[in-house]
Amino acid sequence: MTKLAGSRVLVAGAGVTGRSAAEALLAAGAEVVVTDSSPERLMALETLLDGVELVPGLTEPPAGTSLVVTSPGWQPSSPLLAAATSAGIEVIGEVELAWRMASELADPPVWLAVTGTNGKTTTVGMLESILHAAGADAVACGNVGLPVVDALLAGRRVLAVELSSFQLHWAPSVRPQAGALLNLAEDHLDWHGGMQAYAQAKAQILTGEVAIGWLDDDLVVDLLEQSPARDRVGFTLEEPADGQLGVRDGWLVDRAFADDEPLIEVSKIRPAGPPGIADALAATALARAYGVPSEAVREGLEAFEPAAHRAVLVTVASDVRYVNDSKATNPHAAVASLRAYESVVWIAGGLLKGASVDEMVRTEAHRLRGAVLIGQDRQVIADALARHAPDVPVRVLDTGDDEPMTVAVRAAQELARPGDTVLLAPAAASMDMFTDYAHRGQAFTAAVQELIGR
């Protein structure tokens, strides 16, 4: 970014996005300072970034700072970002930095963006697979691991961008060529301060040329109707009307970008079930908005392989299935996971992040053979079960257990009967007990393999 040459820029956070932002800023000729609460993370950058000043634990920007680029998880109320805002210094995220860098290019890449409470990573993976089938120079980036700045600097021509609500909050200028909102339910309310602010952040995805939304979600429909986009496209699990994508007679059908064209049989979509079908419809809509032909949609969806820890069958023993859906990190995702099975011993709990669980428990109680609760907010779920499912056996585990997932699987095994599914669908984040949802899923898989057999 030529405008930043010679400017002093502070990067808040020394993680993956912080490092990428710092590298891009250095390349633009900026004077870069990086801060983080962890001296260890800063030390890890010393050998990777030459010419960057590393300062641990800053609570206000250094003198002369003209811009702050923050890692997405930092809240606006954090002392450093609040101090920057009070001083009139603009605070943006790495995604916004990438957008501004792209705007200076003579031939910028196409942005096809996805957000939602659940299904983002699966949808972006499907979209990337479809784009590759069409021969596009495309890459999945954003919240899936590869920072957008890195994808941009690599010269990729089409960016399949997964965006969290945090990233959207810090990216006020981003207007993707096509953006899809998959669904909307309570999540990250502790970060945003309430549902309205969370929804407003998500609605940023609908401000580009083509806005795509799930018509089976009333909250999404409201935001789609308010979108300033040139074209608004809906997708539904029902039969589509004109201008929509949907399902008819076991096929995905496009009535938005084609004249009633069948694209792929629903039975060939993975992951199976309504959430996977909805994600496939959203990915298809984004790809069609870019002009991808129907043959590439079919080939891309058939080639797509779901990522780990998303409704993965670990084993079947004594006619009991053991399923790892550790990625169900909020109640909305857990409901979708529970609805795939008729009789469930449910392993749940962790950090609820302010989300309510009463509606989830009330609507899905009839599926529960039993529940095993772990993590910091386990008692919140236990209380909801007591209110709405008093006859369901519940085991609330002590967080002091040395091997909490081993204890949880053993308790679930004791509650299960032939024909049941022992389901890890926590409805909560994992960081109270595990590094992340993948670590939690790995612990579940290892415990199942140890106690039940491979």
Side-chain angles (χ1 to χ4, degrees):
M1 293 180 66
T2 55
K3 296 177 183 178
L4 289 176
S7 299
R8 176 170 253 204
V9 181
L10 173 64
V11 175
V16 174
T17 58
R19 173 189 167 186
S20 294
E23 288 178 328
L25 290 163
L26 281 174
E31 178 186 339
V32 182
V33 180
V34 180
T35 189
D36 196 287
S37 61
S38 168
E40 292 76 19
R41 281 197 292 267
L42 286 174
M43 288 177 60
L45 292 185
E46 278 189 310
T47 58
L48 299 173
L49 296 176
D50 291 330
V52 172
E53 183 181 353
L54 305 173
V55 184
L58 284 177
T59 57
E60 59 182 34
T65 298
S66 61
L67 178 70
V68 176
V69 179
T70 181
S71 294
W74 285 46
Q75 293 180 257
S77 60
S78 64
L80 175 60
L81 302 188
T85 301
S86 296
I89 301 170
E90 186 180 20
V91 181
I92 64 172
E94 174 265 335
V95 173
E96 176 75 11
L97 179 67
W99 179 260
R100 296 184 185 186
M101 290 171 60
S103 70
E104 295 190 3
L105 299 176
D107 185 21
V110 172
W111 289 50
L112 305 176
V114 178
T115 197
T117 303
N118 299 298
K120 297 184 293 295
T121 300
T122 298
T123 302
V124 163
M126 289 174 167
L127 175 59
E128 182 186 46
S129 184
I130 293 169
L131 291 167
H132 286 169
D137 179 21
V139 65
C141 57
N143 200 44
V144 291
L146 178 68
V148 186
V149 163
D150 288 355
L152 182 70
L153 295 179
R156 308 309 286 267
R157 301 306 306 142
V158 186
L159 308 183
V161 189
E162 176 187 331
L163 295 176
S164 70
S165 58
F166 306 156
Q167 289 170 312
L168 286 163
H169 174 89
W170 294 120
S173 301
V174 170
R175 302 289 185 269
Q177 276 82 344
L181 179 55
L182 305 177
N183 44 59
L184 201 58
E186 287 186 344
D187 199 15
H188 302 301
L189 302 190
D190 52 346
W191 196 98
H192 289 281
M195 187 63 185
Q196 183 177 0
Y198 174 65
Q200 287 175 344
K202 291 291 192 185
Q204 174 74 13
I205 206 85
L206 302 175
T207 58
E209 295 177 12
V210 181
I212 299 164
W214 190 28
L215 301 177
D216 301 349
D217 186 320
D218 290 341
L219 294 175
V220 173
V221 171
D222 289 343
L223 294 176
L224 186 62
E225 290 176 347
Q226 299 169 35
S227 166
R230 180 197 67 204
D231 297 313
R232 289 178 284 184
V233 175
F235 62 96
T236 173
L237 295 178
E238 305 297 328
E239 184 166 343
D242 287 340
Q244 300 175 3
L245 293 89
V247 178
R248 185 180 64 230
D249 298 330
W251 284 76
L252 260 60
V253 177
D254 182 1
R255 298 188 66 186
F257 302 96
D259 185 15
D260 207 21
E261 183 176 11
L263 299 172
I264 184 174
E265 292 178 275
V266 167
S267 61
K268 295 183 178 179
I269 294 172
R270 297 182 305 277
I277 297 168
D279 294 344
L281 285 164
T284 298
L286 286 162
R288 297 290 268 180
Y290 178 61
V292 168
S294 57
E295 295 82 4
V297 171
R298 185 188 69 255
E299 292 172 11
L301 290 176
E302 288 180 351
F304 173 71
E305 293 291 342
H309 311 296
R310 291 167 171 82
V312 176
L313 177 64
V314 178
T315 193
V316 179
S318 301
D319 199 25
V320 174
R321 289 178 291 185
Y322 292 80
V323 175
N324 168 20
D325 200 4
S326 182
K327 188 60 173 68
T329 56
N330 53 62
H332 186 267
V335 167
S337 189
L338 287 163
R339 287 180 178 173
Y341 310 100
E342 293 185 0
S343 183
V344 175
V345 177
W346 182 32
I347 300 178
L351 295 170
L352 287 170
K353 302 169 291 184
S356 170
V357 298
D358 279 85
E359 182 66 13
M360 169 183 64
V361 171
R362 185 186 66 79
T363 58
E364 307 309 317
H366 65 285
R367 303 178 190 278
L368 300 181
R369 169 81 67 181
V372 178
L373 305 179
I374 62 176
Q376 179 174 305
D377 291 332
R378 61 197 183 282
Q379 193 58 48
V380 176
I381 303 176
D383 292 343
L385 285 162
R387 287 191 292 271
H388 302 293
D391 296 332
V392 172
V394 177
R395 307 281 176 85
V396 181
L397 301 187
D398 187 347
T399 55
D401 292 323
D402 292 334
E403 298 292 341
M405 198 57 79
T406 300
V407 176
V409 171
R410 184 181 292 116
Q413 180 189 21
E414 293 171 355
L415 291 171
R417 300 291 181 268
D420 289 348
T421 297
V422 172
L423 175 65
L424 174 67
S430 57
M431 287 76 76
D432 55 333
M433 302 173 70
F434 303 95
T435 304
D436 51 26
Y437 75 83
H439 180 207
R440 179 170 60 189
Q442 291 161 0
F444 173 80
T445 299
V448 169
Q449 292 173 341
E450 177 185 352
L451 296 174
I452 312 303
R454 297 175 185 271

